[in-house]
């Protein structure tokens, strides 16, 4: 599975999403009729390290990370607790190897905001990740309705 497969899945599955490339990553936003400047994040695909996000060593050949934001209770169900926000340039204090491929885990920087990720998911792991993408999409729709008012 490559990153473009994940982006294609999102466009085939979800209504009213748009793709934006920025900050060295591809972002899928929920934004019906382009009502907001960008929209609400559903999913990001990051293919290289950034100044404040090097924990996954994405500069390795062919490595990418897929990221989604969940509701807090879902994150807690998966990982037990929400970690503290790390200092700028640091990672969350959780017992995970953030460089591991094909493993659903907390986001190394944004877990404190209930974001989760997976590096280079296999087809099987991506099937396990799909319900998390669905939740992120539904959560984005809820946020959009609140912001639109």
């Amino acid at each position: 599975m490559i990153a473009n497969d994940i982006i294609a899945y999102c466009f085939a599955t979800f209504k009213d999403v748009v793709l934006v490339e920025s900050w060295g990553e591809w972002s899928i936003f929920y934004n019906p009729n382009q009502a907001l400047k960008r929209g609400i994040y559903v999913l990001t695909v990051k293919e290289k390290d950034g100044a404040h996000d090097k924990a996954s060593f994405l500069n390795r050949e062919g490595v990418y990370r897929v990221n989604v934001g969940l509701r807090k209770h879902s994150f807690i169900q998966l990982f037990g607790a929400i970690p503290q926000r790390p200092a700028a340039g640091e990672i969350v204090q959780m017992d995970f190897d953030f460089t591991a491929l094909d493993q659903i885990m907390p986001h190394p920087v944004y877990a404190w905001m209930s974001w989760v990720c997976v590096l280079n998911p296999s087809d099987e792991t991506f099937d396990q990740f799909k319900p998390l993408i669905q939740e992120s999409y539904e959560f984005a729709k809820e946020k959009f309705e609140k912001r639109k008012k």
Side-chain angles (χ1 to χ4, degrees):
M1 171 162 283
I2 61 172
N4 286 344
D5 295 335
I6 294 165
I7 292 167
Y9 165 80
C10 290
F11 276 94
T13 305
F14 304 115
K15 186 178 175 187
D16 296 320
V17 293
V18 295
L19 181 65
V20 176
E21 192 275 326
S22 60
W23 303 301
E25 65 186 35
W26 294 97
S27 301
I28 294 181
F29 293 93
Y30 177 75
N31 197 8
N33 302 315
Q34 311 298 303
L36 300 175
K37 183 176 180 180
R38 283 193 177 232
I40 307 295
Y41 278 109
V42 173
L43 174 143
T44 66
V45 176
K46 189 169 177 76
E47 298 179 290
K48 64 180 183 177
D49 290 334
H52 299 289
D53 184 358
K54 297 178 182 175
S56 297
F57 295 117
L58 298 176
N59 288 345
R60 293 175 284 169
E61 182 70 30
V63 175
Y64 66 94
R65 186 179 67 215
V66 184
N67 314 284
V68 295
L70 302 179
R71 293 175 183 95
K72 287 184 180 187
H73 71 270
S74 296
F75 186 94
I76 291 167
Q77 266 187 319
L78 288 169
F79 304 111
I82 304 280
Q84 293 291 321
R85 181 179 184 170
E90 300 294 321
I91 63 172
V92 293
Q93 295 299 308
M94 297 184 82
D95 191 22
F96 286 87
D97 175 0
F98 295 116
T99 67
L101 304 180
D102 198 32
Q103 178 183 337
I104 297 170
M105 65 184 125
H107 188 286
V109 178
Y110 298 116
W112 67 275
M113 295 186 337
S114 303
W115 277 70
V116 302
C117 66
V118 60
L119 282 68
N120 293 52
S122 63
D123 290 341
E124 180 181 327
T125 300
F126 188 63
D127 283 342
Q128 295 168 9
F129 201 69
K130 285 177 182 177
L132 304 181
I133 299 172
Q134 180 70 43
E135 177 173 333
S136 183
Y137 174 74
E138 296 297 332
F139 196 26
K141 286 172 60 176
E142 291 170 18
K143 291 178 199 174
F144 178 86
E145 287 304 316
K146 288 178 185 174
R147 188 173 294 176
K148 199 175 79 170
K149 293 179 181 180

